[in-house]
Amino acid sequence: ELHNEEMAFLVDSVTAELQRLTVPPVNTIHPILHLHRDTKGRLESMRMDSSAISESFIHFQLPRLPEGLTPEAILKEVQDVLN
């Protein structure tokens, strides 16, 4: 699962990396959340208005991992794509 500021091609970029790692997503859930946070980043409310910040939540359901590929390795590769 990922939680990130909304960016163009976020789902496509992560999906392409997962496919490169031979674990194409079986299912993807990707709502855009409209949030209000306080100055420390804590969630205050979820509502759509002109002052809301759009954040992306992505859940990828993956198939069984091939032998030798760990969740930690996937995480590192996906983080490299996002940075």
Side-chain angles (χ1 to χ4, degrees):
E1 292 181 341
L2 302 172
H3 178 248
N4 203 28
E5 96 181 48
E6 175 58 6
M7 301 177 345
F9 306 109
L10 190 59
V11 173
D12 293 339
S13 298
V14 174
T15 299
E17 183 60 19
L18 293 170
Q19 289 174 337
R20 186 187 73 76
L21 294 169
T22 68
V23 286
V26 174
N27 193 10
T28 302
I29 300 169
H30 179 229
I32 304 299
L33 307 174
H34 304 282
L35 308 175
H36 291 265
R37 295 187 177 274
D38 67 16
T39 56
K40 293 184 179 182
R42 293 180 296 219
L43 182 63
E44 290 184 329
S45 66
M46 238 173 81
R47 66 180 186 275
M48 274 185 87
D49 61 31
S50 61
S51 64
I53 298 168
S54 294
E55 295 185 22
S56 179
F57 175 82
I58 309 170
H59 172 85
F60 293 101
Q61 181 182 355
L62 302 179
R64 174 173 238 137
L65 299 183
E67 192 170 324
L69 183 60
T70 65
E72 295 80 14
I74 293 172
L75 179 61
K76 182 196 174 305
E77 296 298 327
V78 169
Q79 286 174 333
D80 288 347
V81 166
L82 296 175
N83 292 328

